[in-house]
Amino acid sequence: MNRVLIYIQENLLAPKGGPLGYNYNLYVQLKQMGCTEFQFLPPQPKRELKEWRKFVPNIIKNIVHEIRKARSVSRLLSSKYPHKAQIDINQYDVIHFHDTKSLYEIRDDLSNYHGKIVLTSHSPTLPSMEIYDMLNKREKRMFGWLYKKLESMDEYSFRKADYIFFPCEEAEEPYRNNWPQFSEIKKEKNNSFRYILTGIQKPVFKKTREEILLLYNIPKDAVVVSYVGRHNKIKGYDILKRMAERILSVYPNVYFLIAGKEEPIRGLENHRWIEVGWTDDPYSLIAASDLFVLPNRETYFDLILLEALSIGIPVVCSATGGNKYFSHIGQKGIFLYDTFNEGTQYISSLVEKTRQNRKMLGALNKELFEKEFTNEIFARNYISLIQSL
């Protein structure tokens, strides 16, 4: 049996989106199954904040933070500094990286590593592009030239990996669309690509629909549309706002219940558009809703979609990236749209259905989840795939 290092700090794993949430689900199930051959990185010591920082103006703290980030990127790209792992990686037969940066930053040790290197890139677009897009205007102005060099990190990592995991072939779409080298790498390393559908723990929600409606002053007979995620363009939050403007103008009984930090894009100024902000219980909001909308411009394979399926809610989502997987299986409770008008029409159609009809569609989604996306199925498929390399 291969010894496997999953290159993420164990103490950072949490039930959230992205690689930390993906591996949290895997970690919980592997532990339940007693699979001791799979290990994670040990925690790194936390850097204590200095007392004097409390008295420094935020503008100064922000600029210092931005300079340190840029310096870190410069060191990462430079060959003058050592790029080594925090532990001895040669005790493992397989190392599974979940972002290109983690692989790239230990490239010195990997040059002498004789095991198998696996890469899963969870980013909804090219990782270096995502890092650049998250910079503020000042950072782009001062250090944009430096961050743009990070594309070499992505190319090195994809070429260095012996195996590249995606949840499905459709999830490769953002890379094909945004990175010309991807098609070239795929052609050169076609035999290195493997596919494994993601699975999750079935989420537990803390409040009933009645409690949520009461908490946010929503009428009992309202049709509730939910969204959980970042408020940015790649997640399609601006598209959702435009859809909502149209829906709210036609249907006086519709409310939009939105979770996630309200930045960089702010919500609608409408009493039937409710911004909850960050929450540790998004599942109660989804469970209290009649339908869930996932309007991504680009996507990998969104965990929140699986969570909505597991709760048993109809989903309207953009036909992009990993979402397209569901078009091939013809799932009746998932409505994939290609255009803004089509997406808005799907929302309208679900609003006009009876609550019983919406529940029937949600039940089909729950059935699909139990059949393909549980944590146990995911872990067993993962073990089988790793051991087959």
Side-chain angles (χ1 to χ4, degrees), residues 293-310:
V293 182
L294 193 64
N296 319 63
R297 278 187 170 82
E298 300 270 19
T299 194
Y300 177 74
F301 199 81
D302 217 320
L303 295 185
I304 198 69
L305 174 54
L306 301 186
E307 289 163 349
L309 299 185
S310 74

Side-chain angles (χ1 to χ4, degrees), residues 131-148:
I131 292 169
Y132 180 83
D133 288 343
M134 290 174 70
L135 301 176
N136 62 41
K137 289 180 181 178
R138 182 172 55 233
E139 287 178 294
K140 286 179 180 176
R141 187 173 64 251
M142 293 174 64
F143 305 116
W145 60 274
L146 176 64
Y147 282 90
K148 285 179 179 179

Side-chain angles (χ1 to χ4, degrees), residues 216-236:
Y216 295 106
N217 199 27
I218 300 172
K220 289 181 180 179
D221 61 347
V223 177
V224 181
V225 182
S226 61
Y227 168 85
V228 174
R230 293 180 185 175
H231 291 26
N232 61 24
K233 287 191 173 183
I234 198 163
K235 289 291 187 181

